[in-house]
Amino acid sequence: MTRLYIAADHGGFHLKQALISYLVNYDVVDLGTESEESVDYPLYSDKIAACLKQDAEALGILICGTGLGVCMAVNRHRHIRAARCSTGLDAELARRHNNANVLCLGGRVIGVELAKHIVNHFLNSAFEGGRHQRRVNTFSTPAC
Ligand code: RB5
């Protein structure tokens, strides 16, 4: 069973709870936050990154208001390939071509049903390797 780490700030709290209820066939680890009280999203990006460092086969879902802040913050970590997705095709190609290991969603910009659709595409798609592996390999080299 795929392990999924999930975390959100206050802007993503409700969507996180909805997805946890939906993802009953996965081993879901909830890393918070636990309410709508204001928190700083980079903390939750760092929590997901730390878990995926120890558990490289797992995947992550990060949610903030837009999905943008958590994505920028978590991509600071070398072992993370996070994609902020707003369609099922985004999520599918993020897995197939970019080997994304974290899906970022915007709790204030997409509804629960669209989020479930995006998550399904993310979880049911696999990295294709080949020419995509060569390209992804360059991500771990500092650009400047
Ligand atoms: C919090 O108000 C909001 O800035 C955050 O959830 C996120 O959208 C940042 O990118």
Side-chain angles (χ1 to χ4, degrees):
M1 188 187 272
T2 304
R3 178 169 298 131
L4 288 178
Y5 294 98
I6 190 166
D9 76 353
H10 52 289
F13 170 69
H14 286 295
L15 181 55
K16 173 172 73 70
Q17 299 311 111
L19 290 177
I20 289 170
S21 299
Y22 177 65
L23 292 165
V24 288
N25 293 323
Y26 291 86
D27 175 12
V28 178
V29 180
D30 182 1
L31 300 174
T33 188
E34 300 305 336
S35 74
E36 289 183 278
E37 188 178 334
S38 183
V39 291
D40 293 338
Y41 60 80
L43 173 65
Y44 296 89
S45 296
D46 287 349
K47 285 182 187 231
I48 289 262
C51 289
L52 292 183
K53 186 98 181 173
Q54 303 300 320
D55 193 358
E57 299 303 309
L59 296 171
I61 300 176
L62 265 170
I63 313 168
C64 65
T66 59
L68 296 170
V70 285
C71 194
M72 292 179 189
V74 78
N75 272 324
R76 295 179 305 120
H77 297 268
R78 288 258 187 98
H79 62 292
I80 298 296
R81 293 169 304 280
R84 188 265 198 176
C85 298
S86 53
T87 68
L89 185 59
D90 283 343
E92 180 179 330
L93 292 176
R95 290 285 294 140
R96 287 173 52 194
H97 290 186
N98 312 119
N99 201 16
N101 56 0
V102 177
L103 170 65
C104 299
L105 298 169
R108 291 174 176 158
V109 296
I110 60 169
V112 172
E113 294 308 314
L114 177 56
K116 290 176 184 173
H117 172 77
I118 294 168
V119 167
N120 282 333
H121 278 263
F122 189 75
L123 297 178
N124 293 309
S125 303
F127 185 48
E128 291 176 2
R131 68 188 188 281
H132 302 296
Q133 183 68 65
R134 185 176 68 243
R135 295 161 184 167
V136 167
N137 285 347
T138 68
F139 297 173
S140 53
T141 306
C144 58

